[in-house]
């Protein structure tokens, strides 16, 4: 099983980034996918999640209207489009795959997002 995030980097406030997560080794279309983040000295928090077929998405209040999660089940990919970035969005962003019925829970290695002048 592998989840490989990419697309992080340094961006100025107000800028945009698109994170990607490439999944392999499991039945991607059967898993709820989510993005989490962890800032220095803080606990990891759920940013957004999307159901297995992509019909439902949810976001933490602090990113609503700015971030969009999406998935492509044909390509085994999940994305996080991040617009109007703020310094408080600075964190390591992690991709997660979960299938509660099978108690399966997988994590990627994370990608750093830094929002700064």
């Amino acid at each position: 099983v592998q989840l490989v995030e990419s697309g992080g980097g340094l961006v100025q406030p107000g800028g945009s980034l698109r994170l990607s997560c490439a999944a392999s080794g499991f039945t991607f279309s059967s898993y709820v996918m989510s993005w989490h983040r962890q800032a220095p000295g803080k606990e990891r928090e759920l940013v957004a999640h999307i159901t297995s077929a992509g019909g439902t998405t949810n976001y933490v209040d602090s990113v609503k209207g700015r971030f969009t999660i999406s998935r492509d089940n044909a390509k085994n990919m999940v994305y996080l489009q991040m617009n109007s970035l703020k310094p408080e969005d600075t964190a390591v962003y992690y991709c997660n795959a979960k299938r509660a019925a099978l108690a399966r829970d997988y994590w990627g290695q994370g990608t750093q997002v830094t929002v700064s002048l």
Side-chain angles (χ1 to χ4, degrees):
V1 172
Q2 272 198 316
L3 293 173
V4 181
E5 301 98 334
S6 62
L10 174 63
V11 63
Q12 293 186 351
S16 298
L17 283 174
R18 188 194 195 207
L19 304 184
S20 299
C21 174
S24 61
F26 62 99
T27 308
F28 179 79
S29 60
S30 297
Y31 281 67
V32 173
M33 299 300 297
S34 58
W35 287 95
H36 300 245
R37 67 186 179 187
Q38 188 166 19
K42 295 188 177 181
E43 293 187 355
R44 191 174 296 190
E45 69 168 346
L46 173 65
V47 175
H49 88 266
I50 185 166
T51 51
S52 56
T56 301
T57 58
N58 280 292
Y59 302 88
V60 67
D61 285 348
S62 60
V63 309
K64 284 181 180 177
R66 300 188 297 122
F67 290 11
T68 303
I69 188 171
S70 61
R71 66 190 295 162
D72 185 336
N73 284 350
K75 296 181 178 179
N76 288 5
M77 296 288 295
V78 62
Y79 307 98
L80 185 68
Q81 178 67 44
M82 306 187 295
N83 299 328
S84 302
L85 282 160
K86 304 175 181 180
E88 51 263 44
D89 295 318
T90 295
V92 178
Y93 284 71
Y94 298 90
C95 177
N96 174 265
K98 180 174 283 188
R99 189 171 178 187
L102 299 180
R104 302 284 170 81
D105 193 0
Y106 306 128
W107 291 91
Q109 82 289 347
T111 186
Q112 176 71 47
V113 171
T114 302
V115 185
S116 180
L117 291 171

